[in-house]
mmCIF file of all heavy atoms in Angstrom:
data_model
loop_
_atom_site.group_PDB
_atom_site.id
_atom_site.type_symbol
_atom_site.label_atom_id
_atom_site.label_comp_id
_atom_site.label_asym_id
_atom_site.label_seq_id
_atom_site.Cartn_x
_atom_site.Cartn_y
_atom_site.Cartn_z
ATOM 1 N N GLY A 1 0.788 -1.227 0.000
ATOM 2 C CA GLY A 1 0.000 0.000 0.000
ATOM 3 C C GLY A 1 0.815 1.270 0.000
ATOM 4 O O GLY A 1 0.272 2.362 -0.078
ATOM 5 N N GLU A 2 2.155 1.175 0.094
ATOM 6 C CA GLU A 2 2.971 2.365 0.072
ATOM 7 C C GLU A 2 3.033 2.937 -1.341
ATOM 8 O O GLU A 2 2.974 2.214 -2.320
ATOM 9 C CB GLU A 2 4.392 2.050 0.564
ATOM 10 C CG GLU A 2 4.466 1.731 2.041
ATOM 11 C CD GLU A 2 5.906 1.499 2.477
ATOM 12 O OE1 GLU A 2 6.714 1.060 1.640
ATOM 13 O OE2 GLU A 2 6.211 1.765 3.643
ATOM 14 N N GLU A 3 3.172 4.245 -1.417
ATOM 15 C CA GLU A 3 3.283 4.904 -2.700
ATOM 16 C C GLU A 3 4.618 4.544 -3.353
ATOM 17 O O GLU A 3 5.665 4.565 -2.722
ATOM 18 C CB GLU A 3 3.184 6.419 -2.531
ATOM 19 C CG GLU A 3 2.973 7.175 -3.816
ATOM 20 C CD GLU A 3 1.562 7.035 -4.366
ATOM 21 O OE1 GLU A 3 0.706 6.490 -3.654
ATOM 22 O OE2 GLU A 3 1.341 7.456 -5.513
ATOM 23 N N THR A 4 4.568 4.192 -4.633
ATOM 24 C CA THR A 4 5.764 3.818 -5.369
ATOM 25 C C THR A 4 6.177 4.951 -6.299
ATOM 26 O O THR A 4 5.378 5.430 -7.098
ATOM 27 C CB THR A 4 5.525 2.543 -6.204
ATOM 28 O OG1 THR A 4 5.151 1.473 -5.338
ATOM 29 C CG2 THR A 4 6.776 2.159 -6.968
ATOM 30 N N LEU A 5 7.414 5.389 -6.187
ATOM 31 C CA LEU A 5 7.951 6.390 -7.099
ATOM 32 C C LEU A 5 8.444 5.683 -8.351
ATOM 33 O O LEU A 5 9.117 4.648 -8.260
ATOM 34 C CB LEU A 5 9.100 7.167 -6.453
ATOM 35 C CG LEU A 5 8.715 8.230 -5.413
ATOM 36 C CD1 LEU A 5 8.229 7.584 -4.116
ATOM 37 C CD2 LEU A 5 9.890 9.151 -5.125
ATOM 38 N N VAL A 6 8.107 6.222 -9.508
ATOM 39 C CA VAL A 6 8.448 5.577 -10.767
ATOM 40 C C VAL A 6 9.200 6.555 -11.671
ATOM 41 O O VAL A 6 8.748 7.677 -11.899
ATOM 42 C CB VAL A 6 7.190 5.070 -11.502
ATOM 43 C CG1 VAL A 6 7.577 4.403 -12.820
ATOM 44 C CG2 VAL A 6 6.406 4.099 -10.631
ATOM 45 N N PHE A 7 10.351 6.105 -12.148
ATOM 46 C CA PHE A 7 11.146 6.873 -13.107
ATOM 47 C C PHE A 7 11.313 6.010 -14.358
ATOM 48 O O PHE A 7 11.828 4.895 -14.264
ATOM 49 C CB PHE A 7 12.536 7.195 -12.557
ATOM 50 C CG PHE A 7 12.549 7.896 -11.220
ATOM 51 C CD1 PHE A 7 12.398 7.164 -10.042
ATOM 52 C CD2 PHE A 7 12.736 9.266 -11.129
ATOM 53 C CE1 PHE A 7 12.435 7.796 -8.806
ATOM 54 C CE2 PHE A 7 12.772 9.902 -9.895
ATOM 55 C CZ PHE A 7 12.616 9.169 -8.738
ATOM 56 N N LYS A 8 10.908 6.523 -15.517
ATOM 57 C CA LYS A 8 11.118 5.794 -16.765
ATOM 58 C C LYS A 8 12.274 6.438 -17.519
ATOM 59 O O LYS A 8 12.344 7.663 -17.648
ATOM 60 C CB LYS A 8 9.859 5.804 -17.617
ATOM 61 C CG LYS A 8 8.697 5.050 -16.979
ATOM 62 C CD LYS A 8 7.495 5.018 -17.901
ATOM 63 C CE LYS A 8 6.326 4.279 -17.245
ATOM 64 N NZ LYS A 8 5.135 4.233 -18.139
ATOM 65 N N MET A 9 13.186 5.583 -18.003
ATOM 66 C CA MET A 9 14.410 6.068 -18.632
ATOM 67 C C MET A 9 14.622 5.453 -20.003
ATOM 68 O O MET A 9 14.148 4.346 -20.288
ATOM 69 C CB MET A 9 15.613 5.716 -17.757
ATOM 70 C CG MET A 9 15.608 6.314 -16.369
ATOM 71 S SD MET A 9 16.951 5.597 -15.382
ATOM 72 C CE MET A 9 16.189 4.065 -14.826
ATOM 73 N N SER A 10 15.373 6.159 -20.830
ATOM 74 C CA SER A 10 15.789 5.632 -22.122
ATOM 75 C C SER A 10 16.913 4.622 -21.901
ATOM 76 O O SER A 10 17.389 4.444 -20.780
ATOM 77 C CB SER A 10 16.289 6.766 -23.014
ATOM 78 O OG SER A 10 17.495 7.315 -22.474
ATOM 79 N N VAL A 11 17.375 3.999 -22.970
ATOM 80 C CA VAL A 11 18.473 3.037 -22.843
ATOM 81 C C VAL A 11 19.764 3.735 -22.419
ATOM 82 O O VAL A 11 20.695 3.095 -21.927
ATOM 83 C CB VAL A 11 18.699 2.270 -24.169
ATOM 84 C CG1 VAL A 11 17.552 1.326 -24.454
ATOM 85 C CG2 VAL A 11 18.903 3.233 -25.328
ATOM 86 N N GLN A 12 19.825 5.064 -22.611
ATOM 87 C CA GLN A 12 20.993 5.826 -22.161
ATOM 88 C C GLN A 12 20.859 6.274 -20.705
ATOM 89 O O GLN A 12 21.760 6.910 -20.154
ATOM 90 C CB GLN A 12 21.197 7.069 -23.043
ATOM 91 C CG GLN A 12 21.647 6.770 -24.465
ATOM 92 C CD GLN A 12 20.501 6.316 -25.347
ATOM 93 O OE1 GLN A 12 19.343 6.683 -25.110
ATOM 94 N NE2 GLN A 12 20.810 5.538 -26.361
ATOM 95 N N GLY A 13 19.732 5.970 -20.061
ATOM 96 C CA GLY A 13 19.538 6.339 -18.673
ATOM 97 C C GLY A 13 18.997 7.736 -18.474
ATOM 98 O O GLY A 13 19.061 8.275 -17.366
ATOM 99 N N VAL A 14 18.432 8.333 -19.523
ATOM 100 C CA VAL A 14 17.871 9.678 -19.436
ATOM 101 C C VAL A 14 16.381 9.581 -19.098
ATOM 102 O O VAL A 14 15.630 8.862 -19.761
ATOM 103 C CB VAL A 14 18.059 10.441 -20.762
ATOM 104 C CG1 VAL A 14 17.395 11.821 -20.690
ATOM 105 C CG2 VAL A 14 19.545 10.583 -21.073
ATOM 106 N N ILE A 15 15.960 10.290 -18.061
ATOM 107 C CA ILE A 15 14.569 10.246 -17.612
ATOM 108 C C ILE A 15 13.657 10.911 -18.646
ATOM 109 O O ILE A 15 13.940 12.014 -19.111
ATOM 110 C CB ILE A 15 14.413 10.957 -16.255
ATOM 111 C CG1 ILE A 15 15.221 10.219 -15.183
ATOM 112 C CG2 ILE A 15 12.940 11.041 -15.849
ATOM 113 C CD1 ILE A 15 15.285 10.954 -13.850
ATOM 114 N N TYR A 16 12.553 10.227 -18.988
ATOM 115 C CA TYR A 16 11.578 10.842 -19.893
ATOM 116 C C TYR A 16 10.170 10.876 -19.299
ATOM 117 O O TYR A 16 9.262 11.486 -19.854
ATOM 118 C CB TYR A 16 11.562 10.141 -21.263
ATOM 119 C CG TYR A 16 11.082 8.716 -21.261
ATOM 120 C CD1 TYR A 16 9.724 8.402 -21.301
ATOM 121 C CD2 TYR A 16 11.995 7.660 -21.237
ATOM 122 C CE1 TYR A 16 9.288 7.082 -21.313
ATOM 123 C CE2 TYR A 16 11.565 6.347 -21.248
ATOM 124 C CZ TYR A 16 10.213 6.066 -21.292
ATOM 125 O OH TYR A 16 9.789 4.757 -21.305
ATOM 126 N N GLU A 17 10.015 10.226 -18.121
ATOM 127 C CA GLU A 17 8.695 10.248 -17.483
ATOM 128 C C GLU A 17 8.831 9.875 -16.013
ATOM 129 O O GLU A 17 9.627 9.005 -15.656
ATOM 130 C CB GLU A 17 7.736 9.279 -18.183
ATOM 131 C CG GLU A 17 6.315 9.311 -17.645
ATOM 132 C CD GLU A 17 5.393 8.333 -18.364
ATOM 133 O OE1 GLU A 17 5.723 7.894 -19.486
ATOM 134 O OE2 GLU A 17 4.340 7.992 -17.791
ATOM 135 N N VAL A 18 8.069 10.550 -15.157
ATOM 136 C CA VAL A 18 7.991 10.198 -13.738
ATOM 137 C C VAL A 18 6.529 10.273 -13.313
ATOM 138 O O VAL A 18 5.710 10.898 -13.991
ATOM 139 C CB VAL A 18 8.840 11.146 -12.851
ATOM 140 C CG1 VAL A 18 10.313 11.044 -13.206
ATOM 141 C CG2 VAL A 18 8.355 12.579 -12.967
ATOM 142 N N ASN A 19 6.208 9.636 -12.193
ATOM 143 C CA ASN A 19 4.821 9.717 -11.723
ATOM 144 C C ASN A 19 4.670 10.787 -10.644
ATOM 145 O O ASN A 19 5.652 11.401 -10.204
ATOM 146 C CB ASN A 19 4.319 8.354 -11.238
ATOM 147 C CG ASN A 19 5.018 7.894 -9.956
ATOM 148 O OD1 ASN A 19 6.028 8.452 -9.544
ATOM 149 N ND2 ASN A 19 4.467 6.862 -9.327
ATOM 150 N N GLU A 20 3.465 11.023 -10.190
ATOM 151 C CA GLU A 20 3.178 12.094 -9.243
ATOM 152 C C GLU A 20 3.832 11.869 -7.883
ATOM 153 O O GLU A 20 4.122 12.826 -7.158
ATOM 154 C CB GLU A 20 1.662 12.251 -9.060
ATOM 155 C CG GLU A 20 0.947 12.766 -10.289
ATOM 156 C CD GLU A 20 -0.537 12.958 -10.041
ATOM 157 O OE1 GLU A 20 -0.974 12.719 -8.892
ATOM 158 O OE2 GLU A 20 -1.257 13.333 -10.990
ATOM 159 N N ALA A 21 4.079 10.617 -7.523
ATOM 160 C CA ALA A 21 4.686 10.322 -6.230
ATOM 161 C C ALA A 21 6.080 10.930 -6.112
ATOM 162 O O ALA A 21 6.526 11.258 -5.011
ATOM 163 C CB ALA A 21 4.760 8.808 -6.020
ATOM 164 N N VAL A 22 6.772 11.102 -7.230
ATOM 165 C CA VAL A 22 8.100 11.719 -7.210
ATOM 166 C C VAL A 22 8.006 13.156 -6.709
ATOM 167 O O VAL A 22 8.824 13.620 -5.914
ATOM 168 C CB VAL A 22 8.735 11.673 -8.614
ATOM 169 C CG1 VAL A 22 10.062 12.425 -8.623
ATOM 170 C CG2 VAL A 22 8.942 10.233 -9.066
ATOM 171 N N SER A 23 6.967 13.861 -7.152
ATOM 172 C CA SER A 23 6.755 15.245 -6.712
ATOM 173 C C SER A 23 6.345 15.296 -5.247
ATOM 174 O O SER A 23 6.814 16.147 -4.482
ATOM 175 C CB SER A 23 5.689 15.918 -7.579
ATOM 176 O OG SER A 23 5.410 17.214 -7.106
ATOM 177 N N GLU A 24 5.492 14.362 -4.840
ATOM 178 C CA GLU A 24 4.978 14.365 -3.474
ATOM 179 C C GLU A 24 6.075 14.095 -2.450
ATOM 180 O O GLU A 24 6.110 14.718 -1.386
ATOM 181 C CB GLU A 24 3.864 13.331 -3.348
ATOM 182 C CG GLU A 24 2.624 13.678 -4.169
ATOM 183 C CD GLU A 24 1.611 12.547 -4.182
ATOM 184 O OE1 GLU A 24 1.870 11.515 -3.519
ATOM 185 O OE2 GLU A 24 0.572 12.691 -4.858
ATOM 186 N N LEU A 25 6.974 13.177 -2.767
ATOM 187 C CA LEU A 25 8.010 12.820 -1.795
ATOM 188 C C LEU A 25 9.305 13.604 -2.002
ATOM 189 O O LEU A 25 9.962 13.992 -1.035
ATOM 190 C CB LEU A 25 8.310 11.320 -1.866
ATOM 191 C CG LEU A 25 9.248 10.772 -0.790
ATOM 192 C CD1 LEU A 25 8.689 11.018 0.603
ATOM 193 C CD2 LEU A 25 9.484 9.276 -0.988
ATOM 194 N N GLY A 26 9.669 13.838 -3.257
ATOM 195 C CA GLY A 26 10.953 14.479 -3.523
ATOM 196 C C GLY A 26 10.875 15.950 -3.882
ATOM 197 O O GLY A 26 11.903 16.631 -3.931
ATOM 198 N N GLY A 27 9.664 16.451 -4.149
ATOM 199 C CA GLY A 27 9.514 17.856 -4.481
ATOM 200 C C GLY A 27 9.809 18.191 -5.930
ATOM 201 O O GLY A 27 9.733 19.360 -6.335
ATOM 202 N N TYR A 28 10.131 17.188 -6.747
ATOM 203 C CA TYR A 28 10.464 17.435 -8.151
ATOM 204 C C TYR A 28 9.228 17.357 -9.042
ATOM 205 O O TYR A 28 8.387 16.473 -8.878
ATOM 206 C CB TYR A 28 11.475 16.383 -8.653
ATOM 207 C CG TYR A 28 12.802 16.416 -7.957
ATOM 208 C CD1 TYR A 28 13.081 15.527 -6.914
ATOM 209 C CD2 TYR A 28 13.795 17.308 -8.341
ATOM 210 C CE1 TYR A 28 14.318 15.530 -6.277
ATOM 211 C CE2 TYR A 28 15.025 17.321 -7.707
ATOM 212 C CZ TYR A 28 15.280 16.431 -6.679
ATOM 213 O OH TYR A 28 16.495 16.441 -6.043
ATOM 214 N N SER A 29 9.134 18.266 -9.987
ATOM 215 C CA SER A 29 8.099 18.160 -11.002
ATOM 216 C C SER A 29 8.649 17.325 -12.152
ATOM 217 O O SER A 29 9.864 17.087 -12.248
ATOM 218 C CB SER A 29 7.716 19.548 -11.526
ATOM 219 O OG SER A 29 8.803 20.129 -12.240
ATOM 220 N N GLU A 30 7.783 16.875 -13.015
ATOM 221 C CA GLU A 30 8.233 16.105 -14.173
ATOM 222 C C GLU A 30 9.175 16.953 -15.027
ATOM 223 O O GLU A 30 10.178 16.459 -15.549
ATOM 224 C CB GLU A 30 7.032 15.641 -14.997
ATOM 225 C CG GLU A 30 7.390 14.669 -16.106
ATOM 226 C CD GLU A 30 6.177 14.087 -16.798
ATOM 227 O OE1 GLU A 30 5.392 14.891 -17.349
ATOM 228 O OE2 GLU A 30 5.999 12.853 -16.791
ATOM 229 N N LYS A 31 8.884 18.250 -15.127
ATOM 230 C CA LYS A 31 9.712 19.158 -15.920
ATOM 231 C C LYS A 31 11.126 19.244 -15.353
ATOM 232 O O LYS A 31 12.106 19.393 -16.103
ATOM 233 C CB LYS A 31 9.076 20.547 -15.948
ATOM 234 C CG LYS A 31 9.802 21.547 -16.835
ATOM 235 C CD LYS A 31 9.076 22.878 -16.850
ATOM 236 C CE LYS A 31 9.814 23.899 -17.721
ATOM 237 N NZ LYS A 31 9.107 25.203 -17.742
ATOM 238 N N ASP A 32 11.261 19.173 -14.019
ATOM 239 C CA ASP A 32 12.582 19.235 -13.384
ATOM 240 C C ASP A 32 13.469 18.066 -13.799
ATOM 241 O O ASP A 32 14.700 18.215 -13.889
ATOM 242 C CB ASP A 32 12.446 19.213 -11.853
ATOM 243 C CG ASP A 32 11.800 20.464 -11.296
ATOM 244 O OD1 ASP A 32 11.973 21.538 -11.895
ATOM 245 O OD2 ASP A 32 11.106 20.347 -10.256
ATOM 246 N N LEU A 33 12.853 16.901 -14.024
ATOM 247 C CA LEU A 33 13.633 15.678 -14.188
ATOM 248 C C LEU A 33 13.765 15.190 -15.620
ATOM 249 O O LEU A 33 14.714 14.464 -15.936
ATOM 250 C CB LEU A 33 13.032 14.563 -13.331
ATOM 251 C CG LEU A 33 13.072 14.817 -11.808
ATOM 252 C CD1 LEU A 33 12.424 13.656 -11.064
ATOM 253 C CD2 LEU A 33 14.505 15.013 -11.327
ATOM 254 N N ILE A 34 12.830 15.540 -16.491
ATOM 255 C CA ILE A 34 12.913 15.076 -17.881
ATOM 256 C C ILE A 34 14.210 15.584 -18.512
ATOM 257 O O ILE A 34 14.548 16.764 -18.434
ATOM 258 C CB ILE A 34 11.692 15.540 -18.691
ATOM 259 C CG1 ILE A 34 10.455 14.731 -18.265
ATOM 260 C CG2 ILE A 34 11.933 15.371 -20.194
ATOM 261 C CD1 ILE A 34 9.200 15.098 -19.003
ATOM 262 N N GLY A 35 14.943 14.655 -19.090
ATOM 263 C CA GLY A 35 16.214 14.995 -19.711
ATOM 264 C C GLY A 35 17.406 14.838 -18.787
ATOM 265 O O GLY A 35 18.560 14.965 -19.220
ATOM 266 N N GLN A 36 17.157 14.560 -17.490
ATOM 267 C CA GLN A 36 18.228 14.359 -16.519
ATOM 268 C C GLN A 36 18.554 12.867 -16.393
ATOM 269 O O GLN A 36 17.724 12.011 -16.658
ATOM 270 C CB GLN A 36 17.822 14.912 -15.150
ATOM 271 C CG GLN A 36 17.453 16.384 -15.153
ATOM 272 C CD GLN A 36 18.618 17.276 -15.535
ATOM 273 O OE1 GLN A 36 19.743 17.068 -15.070
ATOM 274 N NE2 GLN A 36 18.354 18.266 -16.381
ATOM 275 N N SER A 37 19.775 12.586 -15.965
ATOM 276 C CA SER A 37 20.127 11.191 -15.712
ATOM 277 C C SER A 37 19.486 10.742 -14.405
ATOM 278 O O SER A 37 19.286 11.560 -13.491
ATOM 279 C CB SER A 37 21.646 11.032 -15.634
ATOM 280 O OG SER A 37 22.170 11.750 -14.537
ATOM 281 N N TYR A 38 19.186 9.464 -14.310
ATOM 282 C CA TYR A 38 18.502 8.936 -13.126
ATOM 283 C C TYR A 38 19.296 9.188 -11.858
ATOM 284 O O TYR A 38 18.770 9.643 -10.839
ATOM 285 C CB TYR A 38 18.234 7.443 -13.313
ATOM 286 C CG TYR A 38 17.805 6.726 -12.067
ATOM 287 C CD1 TYR A 38 16.644 7.107 -11.388
ATOM 288 C CD2 TYR A 38 18.549 5.667 -11.556
ATOM 289 C CE1 TYR A 38 16.245 6.455 -10.229
ATOM 290 C CE2 TYR A 38 18.157 5.004 -10.407
ATOM 291 C CZ TYR A 38 17.007 5.407 -9.746
ATOM 292 O OH TYR A 38 16.619 4.760 -8.600
ATOM 293 N N GLU A 39 20.603 8.940 -11.910
ATOM 294 C CA GLU A 39 21.416 9.062 -10.694
ATOM 295 C C GLU A 39 21.723 10.518 -10.347
ATOM 296 O O GLU A 39 22.366 10.786 -9.312
ATOM 297 C CB GLU A 39 22.722 8.262 -10.817
ATOM 298 C CG GLU A 39 23.638 8.707 -11.923
ATOM 299 C CD GLU A 39 23.344 8.007 -13.242
ATOM 300 O OE1 GLU A 39 22.251 7.440 -13.390
ATOM 301 O OE2 GLU A 39 24.230 8.037 -14.107
ATOM 302 N N SER A 40 21.265 11.468 -11.158
ATOM 303 C CA SER A 40 21.531 12.881 -10.862
ATOM 304 C C SER A 40 20.823 13.345 -9.594
ATOM 305 O O SER A 40 21.217 14.347 -8.993
ATOM 306 C CB SER A 40 21.106 13.762 -12.040
ATOM 307 O OG SER A 40 19.694 13.725 -12.222
ATOM 308 N N ILE A 41 19.775 12.628 -9.172
ATOM 309 C CA ILE A 41 19.090 13.022 -7.937
ATOM 310 C C ILE A 41 19.516 12.149 -6.755
ATOM 311 O O ILE A 41 18.953 12.257 -5.681
ATOM 312 C CB ILE A 41 17.550 12.993 -8.083
ATOM 313 C CG1 ILE A 41 17.061 11.581 -8.401
ATOM 314 C CG2 ILE A 41 17.084 13.990 -9.127
ATOM 315 C CD1 ILE A 41 15.549 11.467 -8.295
ATOM 316 N N TRP A 42 20.526 11.302 -6.965
ATOM 317 C CA TRP A 42 21.091 10.563 -5.841
ATOM 318 C C TRP A 42 21.906 11.530 -4.984
ATOM 319 O O TRP A 42 22.524 12.468 -5.492
ATOM 320 C CB TRP A 42 21.996 9.443 -6.323
ATOM 321 C CG TRP A 42 21.276 8.260 -6.888
ATOM 322 C CD1 TRP A 42 19.950 8.186 -7.202
ATOM 323 C CD2 TRP A 42 21.847 6.999 -7.231
ATOM 324 N NE1 TRP A 42 19.654 6.947 -7.714
ATOM 325 C CE2 TRP A 42 20.799 6.198 -7.747
ATOM 326 C CE3 TRP A 42 23.128 6.466 -7.167
ATOM 327 C CZ2 TRP A 42 20.998 4.893 -8.175
ATOM 328 C CZ3 TRP A 42 23.337 5.174 -7.597
ATOM 329 C CH2 TRP A 42 22.284 4.394 -8.089
ATOM 330 N N HIS A 43 21.933 11.288 -3.717
ATOM 331 C CA HIS A 43 22.681 12.139 -2.787
ATOM 332 C C HIS A 43 24.182 11.906 -2.964
ATOM 333 O O HIS A 43 24.615 10.817 -3.346
ATOM 334 C CB HIS A 43 22.267 11.821 -1.352
ATOM 335 C CG HIS A 43 22.591 12.888 -0.373
ATOM 336 N ND1 HIS A 43 23.859 13.061 0.153
ATOM 337 C CD2 HIS A 43 21.814 13.863 0.186
ATOM 338 C CE1 HIS A 43 23.845 14.070 0.995
ATOM 339 N NE2 HIS A 43 22.626 14.583 1.031
ATOM 340 N N SER A 44 24.966 12.922 -2.660
ATOM 341 C CA SER A 44 26.421 12.811 -2.781
ATOM 342 C C SER A 44 27.018 11.795 -1.810
ATOM 343 O O SER A 44 28.149 11.351 -1.992
ATOM 344 C CB SER A 44 27.078 14.180 -2.554
ATOM 345 O OG SER A 44 26.746 14.676 -1.261
ATOM 346 N N HIS A 45 26.250 11.396 -0.778
ATOM 347 C CA HIS A 45 26.734 10.393 0.173
ATOM 348 C C HIS A 45 26.772 8.992 -0.437
ATOM 349 O O HIS A 45 27.469 8.115 0.081
ATOM 350 C CB HIS A 45 25.844 10.366 1.415
ATOM 351 C CG HIS A 45 25.984 11.591 2.266
ATOM 352 N ND1 HIS A 45 25.124 11.879 3.310
ATOM 353 C CD2 HIS A 45 26.877 12.611 2.230
ATOM 354 C CE1 HIS A 45 25.477 13.024 3.869
ATOM 355 N NE2 HIS A 45 26.540 13.481 3.242
ATOM 356 N N VAL A 46 26.018 8.786 -1.519
ATOM 357 C CA VAL A 46 26.006 7.468 -2.156
ATOM 358 C C VAL A 46 27.369 7.231 -2.813
ATOM 359 O O VAL A 46 27.821 8.059 -3.614
ATOM 360 C CB VAL A 46 24.894 7.370 -3.216
ATOM 361 C CG1 VAL A 46 24.900 5.985 -3.868
ATOM 362 C CG2 VAL A 46 23.530 7.653 -2.595
ATOM 363 N N PRO A 47 28.059 6.129 -2.505
ATOM 364 C CA PRO A 47 29.370 5.870 -3.103
ATOM 365 C C PRO A 47 29.299 5.853 -4.631
ATOM 366 O O PRO A 47 28.357 5.317 -5.211
ATOM 367 C CB PRO A 47 29.741 4.485 -2.547
ATOM 368 C CG PRO A 47 28.960 4.369 -1.280
ATOM 369 C CD PRO A 47 27.677 5.086 -1.537
ATOM 370 N N GLN A 48 30.302 6.418 -5.284
ATOM 371 C CA GLN A 48 30.330 6.475 -6.744
ATOM 372 C C GLN A 48 30.303 5.085 -7.355
ATOM 373 O O GLN A 48 29.766 4.872 -8.453
ATOM 374 C CB GLN A 48 31.568 7.231 -7.217
ATOM 375 C CG GLN A 48 31.647 7.450 -8.726
ATOM 376 C CD GLN A 48 30.469 8.248 -9.266
ATOM 377 O OE1 GLN A 48 29.984 9.148 -8.598
ATOM 378 N NE2 GLN A 48 30.015 7.915 -10.467
#
């Protein structure tokens, strides 16, 4: 029953679609993320 955040990416890893849960939890609109790489919103604490 938990809300699932969904990011759809091209084969190059470029985001082309997200669902509303991304905005609700992360504050990002679809416009903010389209054209960005998926890992671009990972925190800098995540090991490279």
